[in-house]
Amino acid sequence: GAGAAVVSEVRALRTAEWVLGLGLEAPTGVLVPFVDLVGTVHRSGVALAVAGRSAAYRSAAFSLGGRAGLRLQVSDHLFVQASGQGTAVGPSTWGATVGMGVAAF
């Protein structure tokens, strides 16, 4: 009835993203600007128990956006980079990253 307590619990929550980017770099020397077109598949799932009854829900979505940044070549094979990204189509996401990596070439 109205006002009665209902026991609910989340038994599992899973999220995953698969990202594919296609980009361009300007070979300007040690400091390299870059831009990417980024497509992301977002998947999530949740398992619940509400008042003793189990339920599970899943969702999937696709977003398309861009990423731009600068890469600094520290040595022959080591670089650091900073970038920002946002979506134009699909779920609205935005973010910034700072990272380091190893160049194989």
Side-chain angles (χ1 to χ4, degrees):
V6 176
V7 177
S8 302
E9 65 180 90
V10 175
R11 293 187 173 169
L13 175 62
R14 294 180 182 91
T15 62
E17 289 185 339
W18 291 275
V19 180
L20 176 64
L22 177 63
L24 297 171
E25 289 186 357
T28 55
V30 176
L31 191 60
V32 178
F34 63 91
V35 295
D36 297 326
L37 178 64
V38 180
T40 306
V41 175
H42 311 267
R43 295 183 54 96
S44 62
V46 63
L48 305 168
V50 178
R53 293 186 181 184
S54 296
Y57 300 94
R58 291 189 174 91
S59 69
F62 177 77
S63 63
L64 186 64
R67 174 175 46 210
L70 291 171
R71 182 174 297 122
L72 175 65
Q73 199 70 36
V74 177
S75 68
D76 286 344
H77 297 290
L78 181 67
F79 65 87
V80 295
Q81 72 178 32
S83 65
Q85 67 184 43
T87 57
V89 176
S92 179
T93 61
W94 56 272
T97 59
V98 176
M100 65 182 340
V102 177
F105 297 82

